[in-house]
């Protein structure tokens, strides 16, 4: 039996999209700030489960004809390496509060996107068209080819006529090989199939590099448990010598790092 081994890596999808005449959903006196998401399902595709975002592009301010930055998406994460699995492209109007307004979506596959370079997709919201999405670039980079296991060679036959399959008996009885030793077997020079590793859990850097927006805000406890602010050493003490109190040290240490990733550089304090 010949079986196809899954690829070690299905590669990266290099994608560049452009919006054309998107419908403004931001009111009369301003334009929408559109960004796009690439989504997938984990239980059956469209109609069989909810869509989960895999990639989010950077929003373009006040632009109904946006040319988004190129995206690079892991194909294994996007569609489990199945280029014909349904995925979705959705467009939203970015809002600072995080409640982004939908501007339409369309369903497709990786294969359809690759074949549609130079083509366009209609952006639909219900039965209405909310603009057009053009595919300026779409290709898969760095995909590894899968290995194929070949069946073992047939035993050599001394006579001109091969014996019937039912009457053939090997001269040496096969010895079972423990599972742990399969890695050392030589199957006619063919490598064993390598299972696809499960997707890695995203790190903080993955979220930031994937254009995840962060908003830093600070809440300070002003209850009496902090101590008398007139006394040195209490959490709210204001030092005449410029020494920071406990809250100032915490805000400076954490905020000095998180603030660099804040999308609007405005920090509400409560």
């Amino acid at each position: 039996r010949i079986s196809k081994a899954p690829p070690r890596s299905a590669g990266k999808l290099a994608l560049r999209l452009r919006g054309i005449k998107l419908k403004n959903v931001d009111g009369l006196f301003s334009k929408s700030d559109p960004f796009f998401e690439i989504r997938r399902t984990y239980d059956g595709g469209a109609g069989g489960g909810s869509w989960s975002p895999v990639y989010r592009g950077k929003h373009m301010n006040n632009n109904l004809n946006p040319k988004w930055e190129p995206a690079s998406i892991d194909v294994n994460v996007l569609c489990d390496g199945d280029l014909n699995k349904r995925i979705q492209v959705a467009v939203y109007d970015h809002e600072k509060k995080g409640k982004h307004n939908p501007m339409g979506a369309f369903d497709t596959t990786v294969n359809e996107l690759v074949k549609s370079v130079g083509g366009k997709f209609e952006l639909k919201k219900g039965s209405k068209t909310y603009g057009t999405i053009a595919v300026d670039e779409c290709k898969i980079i760095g995909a590894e080819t899968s290995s194929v296991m070949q069946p073992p060679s047939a035993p050599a036959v001394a006579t001109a006529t091969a014996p019937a399959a039912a009457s053939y008996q090997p001269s040496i009885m096969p010895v079972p090989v423990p599972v742990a030793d399969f890695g050392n077997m030589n199957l006619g020079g063919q490598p064993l199939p390598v299972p696809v590793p499960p997707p890695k859990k995203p790190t903080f850097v993955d979220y930031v590099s994937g254009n995840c927006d962060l908003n830093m805000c600070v809440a300070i406890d002003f209850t009496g448990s902090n101590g008398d602010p007139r006394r040195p050493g209490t959490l709210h003490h204001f030092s005449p010598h410029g020494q920071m109190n406990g809250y100032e040290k915490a805000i400076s240490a954490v905020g000095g790092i998180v603030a660099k990733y804040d999308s609007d550089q405005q920090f509400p304090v409560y």
Side-chain angles (χ1 to χ4, degrees):
R1 181 171 175 236
I2 301 176
S3 58
K4 186 176 181 180
R8 293 184 180 182
S9 172
K12 300 281 187 179
L13 181 68
L15 179 65
R16 186 157 51 88
L17 299 179
R18 171 169 51 94
I20 303 173
K21 296 182 179 179
L22 304 184
K23 185 173 181 179
N24 186 28
V25 298
D26 209 17
L28 297 175
F29 303 104
S30 62
K31 293 182 180 179
S32 296
D33 311 316
F35 66 88
F36 72 91
E37 278 187 353
I38 308 292
R39 301 168 162 187
R40 62 161 291 171
T41 58
Y42 291 93
D43 42 7
S50 59
W51 292 105
S52 300
V54 173
Y55 175 88
R56 174 181 290 183
K58 187 176 182 180
H59 68 275
M60 308 293 289
N61 290 325
N62 302 316
N63 196 336
L64 299 180
N65 294 279
K67 293 181 179 180
W68 289 296
E69 295 179 359
S72 179
I73 310 167
D74 191 311
V75 178
N76 281 339
V77 175
L78 178 60
C79 57
D80 301 321
D82 182 357
L83 304 187
N84 293 312
K85 185 173 183 177
R86 304 304 295 178
I87 60 175
Q88 186 180 79
V89 179
V91 178
Y92 288 87
D93 175 26
H94 181 270
E95 298 293 339
K96 290 184 178 179
K97 294 182 179 180
K99 192 175 182 180
H100 310 303
N101 297 322
M103 299 177 66
F106 64 88
D107 295 357
T108 183
T109 67
V110 173
N111 263 338
E112 288 178 0
L113 286 174
V114 172
K115 295 176 182 178
S116 299
V117 174
K120 302 173 183 176
F121 291 86
E122 282 192 340
L123 201 61
K124 291 283 189 177
K125 186 178 178 182
S127 59
K128 297 181 179 180
T129 300
Y130 271 55
T132 304
I133 300 298
V135 183
D136 289 341
E137 180 185 6
C138 186
K139 57 185 177 181
I140 296 176
I141 302 173
E144 297 182 12
T145 57
S146 59
S147 302
V148 179
M149 290 184 64
Q150 301 291 341
S153 302
V157 181
T159 59
T161 304
S167 61
Y168 172 74
Q169 295 293 335
S171 58
I172 302 176
M173 293 297 292
V175 178
V177 178
V179 174
D181 292 334
F182 271 114
N184 298 320
M185 290 181 65
N186 183 357
L187 302 180
Q190 298 295 329
L192 289 171
V194 179
V196 178
K200 295 182 179 179
K201 187 176 181 180
T203 64
F204 175 79
V205 175
D206 293 329
Y207 282 110
V208 174
S209 61
N211 293 321
C212 177
D213 287 339
L214 297 181
N215 293 102
M216 173 182 164
C217 62
V218 180
I220 303 175
D221 178 15
F222 281 98
T223 60
S225 61
N226 293 283
D228 188 341
R230 294 170 296 184
R231 296 181 58 186
T234 57
L235 294 177
H236 282 295
H237 176 65
F238 185 78
S239 172
H241 305 294
Q243 295 177 344
M244 293 192 295
N245 59 40
Y247 280 110
E248 290 172 323
K249 290 178 180 178
I251 294 171
S252 177
V254 178
I257 298 174
V258 177
K260 296 178 181 179
Y261 301 97
D262 189 283
S263 58
D264 58 8
Q265 291 296 295
Q266 298 180 13
F267 315 112
V269 180
Y270 301 93

